[in-house]
């Protein structure tokens, strides 16, 4: 008998999945403890669905049926269930069968599969998700094909199989449709799986951002505290749906003009989104109430979770489990909230003070509430509105990946800005970012180099430089600061992407023009000589010069520089209008403005979208409005939120009165320090009132420093180059001489008896054999434990030879004298052997070997490593100082295409050495590209290969030679990004 506590229970098969409608379900193996759940589930299935499953009327399950469907060996018989709230909503099982169609055991590689989905949950994509997971389980257990018998009238089930993308056979026999599915993943099945993933995850975010009704749980009777602030912002934003306040101690029908109820159940109407602002120890009760009421998603503002230490982390994991058990999604905990400016929604379920940000074309995601405030202030101060905003706090559930899925086909979002502290799963993030960046810019600023407290998804072990390079390969515009994030976002949101790197510079200051010119060269752009209009230039002079520059076929972008006139304010509006007129006359090229102490010009340019200021609501803040952070701090440090369960606050007054459960938990607070408003870095923009965008009016971004403007233009140029480059899709080549099955068999033998967590370094013969199966020949070496053995080895290999040490501390260290080359006679070999052992140690310490000489060339190093989060990464560099000391190494994700391989060897700084630098002969780069592709295929085909190092690889003018290879193998992980759809587990 197997239960969830049994050691044989395969807990790695458990997974949370997002369904087609955006809700979630948990998939897990069925155990002997599930008999009652199975019977209850079956009773809720219609007679028609039972008939489709058993091909006959089958009103109830017998005791024998229940025993058979709950007892599995998890090898030849496996059952999985999809659950919500702990109850079954669907089941799937397979039974291994032999050639005669009867039950069998291994080595039979075929199984019969059958599904049953509760009628109330049909059409939600449950069966498709179960097919992905049961297929992965079957492949893990050595099953390669599924067979299924389906009645012709059961069109929904037939469609589940036929739409899966697997290779299949279909026939009609004895009144039923017989289907056979090959479970080997195909390009089509992977595309189907990822398309379903995108639609489901995008829909789950859409439900959070476009609710028809919202309840705020934890609104104090005194209307102070975080819950009351969130309710006030929802009300003042003009939310189009129904709005409710919940506090169990409420004694009146209205709180702050909003209908109030003591419990969520008392609302008596559907609630799509709940904003929870109660102390952490009361959150579980609030979540349970939401789950029972059928709420679709939660925004948890409450603190006291992962950011507060070990107890908080445990509390956070339990929160995620509880939320998902009800099929809900979660933003937070410790979140700042969400905003959706769509005219049909107008949702401000956040702590950002009303009025809500102006409507715009920029989507913004942050993990930090304080950084969210800074970004909102910077964007709105400079005239840019938002389409949507998500500040996810500890992002225990909804992450940047989910938001990218939503933005991908969100017509209201043209530019995606993300502030991230970790990527979680870089492989999935780069995959999603690459797809999104193909249709709209994705700009990312990373605020941390290590996994921060509160973030429970494990980070990558890859170096930061490697992660950044992988992001750029995916088309992500990677910036270093919040200021750069705003600068680049402004340009991309308002200006076209440049067609190339040629930049025209013009303005009324020669010195500022020269600074801009230097900045362009630093960023790798091709600036034209600056055009000095002199300090006497009028707005009309600017317009004429900008028009000429934009019309020129020799320019791709224009940077305008401006310094103050004597009468700055009188001319600022005229200059802004002149620049807008020039840009509108030639709309195909971007224009950026550098201004020095021209605040009026910056305001006039940003006001191109806002001739009039936004109207303040009746209870608006003072005319000289403080920053959002100041207002937020005031909310967080306000008076007592009142007593009573469900209220934010206690009897002690202020946020310190509300603490998370558990000793030492920090006070409930928003994610900024009370009384510590955001202060922009030097040169950035302070917070201020936001203009209201006016459609159809051009807006030109302005920058207070030449370096900032040029940086934004340069990032746009590089993005445009990437966009043009992806039009030519690379191919993963097929090599006819690859022995994939032989390699699989060898790896299976090598790993027999090896522990699940153990990594094995292959000896030289095994490594050479494995690599040879993929056409990678490693030059032979013969051991030389004595001078006489060295001479015999040289006689076998033929002179000239090389004598090398292979001791770990001397391997690949020619600089320490452990290598002797071009030994042409026995006397030279013996003399070199004596010198080597005299200088470095005894033969048993040095482990010397003899190897044939190869044609001279450029020494390179090729590696592949498996990162637990990023997957397989292929790396290339020159051997020695260039890669080890200077870090001149390039990287690509596996599987690499022919285009990836070609760009990989050209992207290191020392690449000219491969192409005839200073008159040297170019080396055989096509052979080098082929070697990279063969290694990529090996590690992609066999996840057991967790590390390969080919060093050195000597690339000559014709051909190359691999002189040494190290291969590490281990049992592959059970699941990965290429496996079935699943949410991160905790």
């Amino acid at each position: 008998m197997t239960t969830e506590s049994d050691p044989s229970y395969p807990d790695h098969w458990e997974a949370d999945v997002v369904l087609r409608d955006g809700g979630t379900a948990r998939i897990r193996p069925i155990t002997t403890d599930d008999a009652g759940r199975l019977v209850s589930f079956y009773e809720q299935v219609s007679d028609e669905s039972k008939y489709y499953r058993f091909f006959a009327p089958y009103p109830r399950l017998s005791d024998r049926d229940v025993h058979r469907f709950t007892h599995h060996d998890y090898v030849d018989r496996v059952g999985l269930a999809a659950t919500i709230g702990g109850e079954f909503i669907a089941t799937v099982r397979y039974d291994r069968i032999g050639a005669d169609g009867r039950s069998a055991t291994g080595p039979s590689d075929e199984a019969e599969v059958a599904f049953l989905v509760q009628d109330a949950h049909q059409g939600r994509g449950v069966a498709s998700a179960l097919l992905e997971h049961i297929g992965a389980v079957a492949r893990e257990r050595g099953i390669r094909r599924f067979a299924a018998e389906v009645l012709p009238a059961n069109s929904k089930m037939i469609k589940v199989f036929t739409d899966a993308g697997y290779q299949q056979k279909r026939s009609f026999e004895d009144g039923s449709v017989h289907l056979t599915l090959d479970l080997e993943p195909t390009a089509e099945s992977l595309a189907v799986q990822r398309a379903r993933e995108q639609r489901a995850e995008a829909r789950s975010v859409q439900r959070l951002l476009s609710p028809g009704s919202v309840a705020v749980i934890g609104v104090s009777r005194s209307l102070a505290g975080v819950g009351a602030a969130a309710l006030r912002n929802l009300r003042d934003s003009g939310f189009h749906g129904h709005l409710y306040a919940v506090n169990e101690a409420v004694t009146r029908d209205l709180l702050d003009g909003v209908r109030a109820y003591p419990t969520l159940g008392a609302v008596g109407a559907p609630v799509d989104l709940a904003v929870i602002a109660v102390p952490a120890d009361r959150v579980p009760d609030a979540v349970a109430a939401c789950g029972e009421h059928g709420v679709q998603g939660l925004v948890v503002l409450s603190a006291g979770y992962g950011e507060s230490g070990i107890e908080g982390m445990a509390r956070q994991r339990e929160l995620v489990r509880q939320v998902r058990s009800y099929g809900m999604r979660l933003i937070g905990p410790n979140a700042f909230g969400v905003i959706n400016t769509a005219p049909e929604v107008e949702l401000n379920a956040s702590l950002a003070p009303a009025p809500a940000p102006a409507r715009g074309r920029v989507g913004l995601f942050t993990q930090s509430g304080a950084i969210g405030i800074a970004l909102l202030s910077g964007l709105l101060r400079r005239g840019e509105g938002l389409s949507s905003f998500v500040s996810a706090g500890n992002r225990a559930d909804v992450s940047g990946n989910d938001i990218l899925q939503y933005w991908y086909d969100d017509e209201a979002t043209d530019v995606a800005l993300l502030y991230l502290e970790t990527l979680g799963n870089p492989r999935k993030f780069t995959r999603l970012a690459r797809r999104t960046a193909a249709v709209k810019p994705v700009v990312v600023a990373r605020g941390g180099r290590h996994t921060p407290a509160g973030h429970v998804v494990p980070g990558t072990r890859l170096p930061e430089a490697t992660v950044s390079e992988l992001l750029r390969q995916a088309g992500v515009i990677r910036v270093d600061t919040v200021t750069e994030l705003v600068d680049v976002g402004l340009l991309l949101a308002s200006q076209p992407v440049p067609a190339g790197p040629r930049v025209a510079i013009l303005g009324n200051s020669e010195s500022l023009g020269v600074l801009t010119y230097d900045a362009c060269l630093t960023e790798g752009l091709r600036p034209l000589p600056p055009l000095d209009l002199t300090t006497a230039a009028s707005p009309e002079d600017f317009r004429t010069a900008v028009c000429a520059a934009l019309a020129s076929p020799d320019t791709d972008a224009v940077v305008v520089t401006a310094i103050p006139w004597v009468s700055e304010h009188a001319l600022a509006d005229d200059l802004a209008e002149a620049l807008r007129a020039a840009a509108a006359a030639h709309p195909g090229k971007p224009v950026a403005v550098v201004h020095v102490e021209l605040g009026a010009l910056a305001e006039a340019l940003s006001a191109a979208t806002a001739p009039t200021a936004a109207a303040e609501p009746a209870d608006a803040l003072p005319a000289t409005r403080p920053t959002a952070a100041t207002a937020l701090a005031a909310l967080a440090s306000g008076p007592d939120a009142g007593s009573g369960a469900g209220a934010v606050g206690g009897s002690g007054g202020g946020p310190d009165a509300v603490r998370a459960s558990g000793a030492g938990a920090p006070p409930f607070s928003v994610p900024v320090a009370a009384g510590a408003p955001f202060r922009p870095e030097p040169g950035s923009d302070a917070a201020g009132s936001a203009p209201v965008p006016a459609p159809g009016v051009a807006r030109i971004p302005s920058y207070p420093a030449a370096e900032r403007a040029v940086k934004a233009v340069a990032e746009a140029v590089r993005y445009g180059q990437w966009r043009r480059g992806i039009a030519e899709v690379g191919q993963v080549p097929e090599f006819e001489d690859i022995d994939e099955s032989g390699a699989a068999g060898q790896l299976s033998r090598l790993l027999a008896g090896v522990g699940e967590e153990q990594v094995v370094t292959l000896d030289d013969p095994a490594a050479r054999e494995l690599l040879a199966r993929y056409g990678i020949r490693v030059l032979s070496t013969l051991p030389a434990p004595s001078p006489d053995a060295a001479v015999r080895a040289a006689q076998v290999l033929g002179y000239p030879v090389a004598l090398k040490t292979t001791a770990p501390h001397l391997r690949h260290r020619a600089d320490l004298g452990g290598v002797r080359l071009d030994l042409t006679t026995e006397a030279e070999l013996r003399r070199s052997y004596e010198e080597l052992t005299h200088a470095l140690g005894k033969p048993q310490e040095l482990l010397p070997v003899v190897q044939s000489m190869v044609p001279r060339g450029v020494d390179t190093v090729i590696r592949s490593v498996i990162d637990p989060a990023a997957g397989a990464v292929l790396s290339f560099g020159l051997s020695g100082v260039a890669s080890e000391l200077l870090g001149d190494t390039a990287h690509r994700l596996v599987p690499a295409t022919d285009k990836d391989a070609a760009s990989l060897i050209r992207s290191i700084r020392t690449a000219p050495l491969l192409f005839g630098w200073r008159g040297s002969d170019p080396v055989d780069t096509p052979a080098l590209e082929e070697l990279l592709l063969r290694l990529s295929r090996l590690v992609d085909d066999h996840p057991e290969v967790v590390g390969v190092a080919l060093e050195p690889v000597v690339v000559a003018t014709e051909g190359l030679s691999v002189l040494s290879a190290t291969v590490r193998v281990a049992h592959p992980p059970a699941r990965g990004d290429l496996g079935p759809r699943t949410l991160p587990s905790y």
Side-chain angles (χ1 to χ4, degrees):
M1 302 218 321
T2 306
T3 65
E4 292 188 31
S5 60
D6 193 298
S8 65
Y9 175 79
D11 56 2
H12 65 281
W13 292 350
E14 295 182 354
D16 293 309
V17 298
V18 183
L19 303 178
R20 181 181 301 157
D21 61 359
T24 65
R26 183 158 187 83
I27 294 176
R28 65 169 178 82
I30 297 175
T31 73
T32 55
D33 293 336
D34 289 322
R37 296 185 185 89
L38 181 66
V39 171
S40 175
F41 157 73
Y42 194 77
E43 290 174 348
Q44 299 177 62
V45 175
S46 69
D47 291 340
E48 180 183 46
S49 295
K50 293 174 182 176
Y51 185 89
Y52 285 154
R53 169 64 176 85
F54 293 103
F55 290 30
Y58 216 88
R60 62 185 58 84
L61 296 175
S62 65
D63 291 343
R64 182 178 179 182
D65 292 329
V66 173
H67 183 275
R68 180 162 63 98
F69 292 150
T70 55
H71 287 67
H72 307 93
D73 59 11
Y74 301 124
V75 178
D76 299 322
R77 300 185 313 281
V78 173
L80 301 180
T83 68
I84 295 179
E87 299 301 319
F88 286 9
I89 64 168
T91 62
V92 62
R93 65 176 280 119
Y94 79 66
D95 292 89
R96 194 187 301 262
I97 58 175
D100 58 357
R102 298 172 179 246
S103 296
T105 59
S108 173
D109 61 357
E110 185 171 343
E112 187 176 43
V113 66
F115 295 78
L116 186 59
V117 180
Q118 203 174 89
D119 294 67
H121 295 278
Q122 292 178 9
R124 301 185 65 198
V126 182
S128 297
L130 282 173
L131 178 57
E132 290 179 21
H133 284 261
I134 197 72
V137 168
R139 289 192 297 271
E140 184 180 330
R141 297 310 193 202
I143 291 172
R144 296 292 174 260
R145 291 183 307 281
F146 273 162
E149 298 287 338
V150 186
L151 289 174
N154 193 359
S155 56
K156 292 180 180 178
M157 198 67 245
I158 294 175
K159 185 173 176 59
V160 168
F161 287 116
T162 57
D163 288 353
Y166 295 114
Q167 293 183 357
Q168 56 188 269
K169 296 179 181 178
R170 181 175 176 177
S171 62
F172 187 78
E173 302 173 9
D174 300 326
S176 65
V177 178
H178 182 80
L179 293 164
T180 302
L181 279 74
D182 187 339
L183 296 180
E184 187 66 26
T186 65
E188 183 181 357
S189 69
L190 188 59
V192 168
Q193 176 180 314
R194 288 178 172 173
R196 288 172 173 166
E197 174 193 61
Q198 189 274 325
R199 289 193 297 268
E201 293 180 0
R203 175 60 180 153
S204 72
V205 174
Q206 184 185 34
R207 299 202 313 179
L208 292 164
L209 292 178
S210 302
S213 53
V214 179
V216 181
I217 301 175
V219 181
S220 68
R221 291 173 295 172
S222 65
L223 301 181
V226 174
L231 180 69
R232 189 176 306 115
N233 292 339
L234 275 161
R235 181 201 65 193
D236 294 346
S237 67
F239 175 57
H240 289 218
H242 299 286
L243 185 58
Y244 309 104
V246 177
N247 183 326
E248 67 179 28
V250 69
T251 57
R252 54 185 187 270
D253 293 339
L254 296 177
L255 279 177
D256 208 9
V258 176
R259 180 71 64 180
Y261 297 90
T263 65
L264 190 64
V267 171
V271 173
D272 298 327
L273 177 69
V275 179
I276 297 180
V278 299
D281 58 349
R282 297 178 182 175
V283 168
D285 292 338
V287 171
C290 292
E292 296 297 330
H293 196 74
V295 173
Q296 297 177 350
L298 307 177
V299 175
V300 177
L301 306 178
S302 311
Y305 289 89
E307 79 285 354
S308 64
I310 296 176
E311 291 185 5
M313 183 67 73
R315 188 181 300 117
Q316 182 166 304
R317 291 192 177 99
E318 183 55 38
L319 171 64
V320 174
R321 282 191 287 267
Q322 184 187 15
V323 169
R324 289 182 179 170
S325 73
Y326 287 106
M328 299 183 291
R329 298 297 313 263
L330 163 70
I331 291 178
N334 197 30
F336 188 67
V338 299
I339 296 172
N340 183 0
T341 64
E344 68 276 11
V345 181
E346 295 190 293
L347 172 78
N348 182 3
S350 77
L351 299 176
R359 191 171 306 128
R361 308 295 299 176
V362 172
L364 178 60
F365 174 86
T366 75
Q367 289 177 229
S368 163
I371 297 299
I373 294 169
L375 289 168
L376 286 173
S377 297
L379 287 168
L380 303 183
R381 171 71 173 84
R382 295 168 69 181
E384 186 56 62
L386 294 176
S387 61
S388 53
F389 167 75
V390 177
S391 184
N394 295 0
R395 66 168 188 155
D397 181 27
V398 172
S399 69
N401 287 347
D402 298 284
I403 306 303
L404 278 178
Q405 299 276 40
Y406 171 74
W407 282 336
Y408 171 68
D409 53 12
D410 178 32
E411 295 180 355
T413 301
D414 289 339
V415 180
L417 304 184
L418 300 97
Y419 171 80
L420 304 174
E421 291 170 349
T422 63
L423 294 181
N425 184 340
R427 185 184 184 100
K428 181 175 182 180
F429 182 83
T430 53
R431 169 169 63 84
L432 301 183
R434 182 183 181 88
R435 184 187 57 191
T436 305
V439 295
K440 61 189 67 174
V442 177
V443 191
V444 172
R446 289 194 64 199
R449 300 296 182 263
H450 307 283
T451 303
H455 181 55
V456 298
V457 178
T460 175
R461 293 200 295 256
L462 292 177
E464 174 65 18
T466 303
V467 174
S468 294
E469 185 174 346
L470 295 177
L471 290 177
R472 289 197 177 275
Q473 292 164 29
V476 172
I477 301 171
R478 170 75 163 82
V479 297
D480 295 323
T481 68
V482 170
T483 299
E484 289 179 355
L485 188 67
V486 174
D487 286 346
V488 176
L490 283 171
L491 183 79
L492 292 168
S494 61
Q495 299 294 305
V497 176
R502 301 169 301 175
V503 180
I505 304 168
L506 59 92
N508 61 354
S509 168
E510 181 179 8
S511 297
L512 190 53
V514 170
L515 286 174
T516 305
Y517 183 88
D518 290 343
C520 286
L521 293 177
T522 300
E523 290 292 340
L525 301 176
R526 291 164 49 191
L528 279 65
L531 174 61
D532 182 15
L533 301 179
T534 76
T535 55
S538 66
E540 180 60 23
D541 294 331
F542 273 89
R543 188 194 67 79
T544 302
V546 172
C547 282
L550 291 173
S552 171
D554 298 324
T555 64
D556 300 306
V558 176
V559 176
V560 179
T561 63
I563 62 173
W565 292 275
V566 175
S567 55
E568 173 199 334
H569 291 277
L571 292 177
D573 290 340
D574 293 340
L575 179 55
E577 184 58 38
L579 295 178
R580 288 197 298 268
H586 303 275
K589 299 177 182 179
V591 178
V593 174
V594 178
H595 66 89
V596 175
E597 296 302 325
L598 273 174
L601 174 61
E603 292 174 7
L605 287 170
S606 66
T609 59
T612 58
E616 296 282 357
D619 57 347
L621 296 171
T624 306
R625 184 148 53 95
T627 65
T630 307
L632 179 57
L635 290 173
S637 59
D640 174 27
S643 59
V648 176
S651 58
D656 290 339
V658 186
R659 295 185 177 272
S661 63
F668 174 89
S669 65
V670 295
V672 294
F678 168 73
R679 289 180 173 83
E681 59 186 270
S684 66
D685 300 285
S689 58
V692 179
V697 181
R699 181 173 52 76
I700 299 174
S702 62
Y703 304 88
E707 295 78 10
R708 288 174 57 180
V710 171
K711 173 72 172 177
V713 172
E715 294 294 356
V717 167
R718 287 188 277 268
Y719 172 68
Q721 291 171 338
W722 180 85
R723 281 280 293 266
R724 291 186 292 274
I726 63 172
E728 181 184 348
V729 180
Q731 301 293 327
V732 177
E734 296 289 340
F735 296 104
E736 295 182 358
D737 59 345
I738 282 180
D739 182 10
E740 184 176 347
S741 61
Q746 180 186 354
L747 288 167
S748 178
R749 294 189 297 273
L750 290 169
L751 291 171
V754 175
E756 289 295 325
E757 302 296 327
Q758 187 177 356
V759 178
V760 177
T761 300
L762 301 185
D763 57 30
D764 282 349
R768 293 172 193 275
E769 180 185 357
L770 179 63
L771 292 169
R773 295 182 186 277
Y774 274 72
I776 301 173
R777 178 178 174 269
V778 182
L779 199 65
S780 297
T781 59
L782 295 178
S786 67
D788 291 338
V791 171
R792 289 192 297 270
Q795 291 171 345
V796 171
L797 297 173
Y799 289 99
V801 296
L803 178 66
K804 305 189 298 185
T805 62
T806 60
H809 66 289
L810 296 173
R811 200 177 182 96
H812 309 310
R813 292 298 307 275
D815 57 308
L816 298 180
V819 179
R820 299 290 190 275
L821 302 175
D822 285 321
L823 306 178
T824 58
T825 66
E826 178 180 337
E828 289 182 6
L829 178 58
R830 289 185 180 276
R831 183 170 61 254
S832 297
Y833 198 99
E834 182 180 355
E835 293 172 352
L836 205 65
T837 54
H838 178 74
L840 299 176
K842 299 178 181 180
Q844 57 267 33
E845 298 171 347
L846 303 182
L847 305 176
V849 297
V850 174
Q851 192 172 51
S852 296
M853 287 296 299
V854 299
R856 291 187 178 275
V858 178
D859 289 2
T860 65
V861 56
I862 297 173
R863 294 188 178 95
S864 179
V865 297
I866 307 296
D867 182 80
V873 178
L874 188 66
S875 303
F876 171 76
L878 298 193
S879 184
V881 174
S883 59
E884 295 176 12
L885 180 61
L886 303 180
D888 186 19
T889 306
H891 313 273
R892 297 292 185 273
L893 286 175
V894 170
T897 66
D898 51 1
K899 186 178 174 183
D900 290 331
S903 66
L904 180 60
I905 65 175
R906 290 165 174 80
S907 58
I908 58 174
R909 297 191 300 276
T910 46
L913 293 174
L914 303 171
F915 296 94
W917 186 66
R918 287 191 173 182
S920 61
D921 292 331
V923 301
D924 192 350
T925 53
L928 186 56
E929 292 170 17
E930 181 179 330
L931 176 60
L932 288 163
L933 291 169
R934 287 180 178 273
L935 180 60
S936 172
R937 278 291 308 275
L938 171 64
V939 297
D940 188 48
D941 291 345
H942 305 285
E944 298 90 347
V945 181
V946 298
V948 178
L950 307 180
E951 183 181 8
V953 177
V954 182
V955 190
T957 54
E958 291 187 12
L960 54 77
S961 302
V962 181
L963 302 190
S964 177
T966 302
V967 179
R968 296 181 298 116
V969 299
H971 291 286
R975 299 289 170 90
D977 185 50
L978 299 180
R981 289 173 285 161
T982 179
L983 290 169
S985 58
Y986 300 97

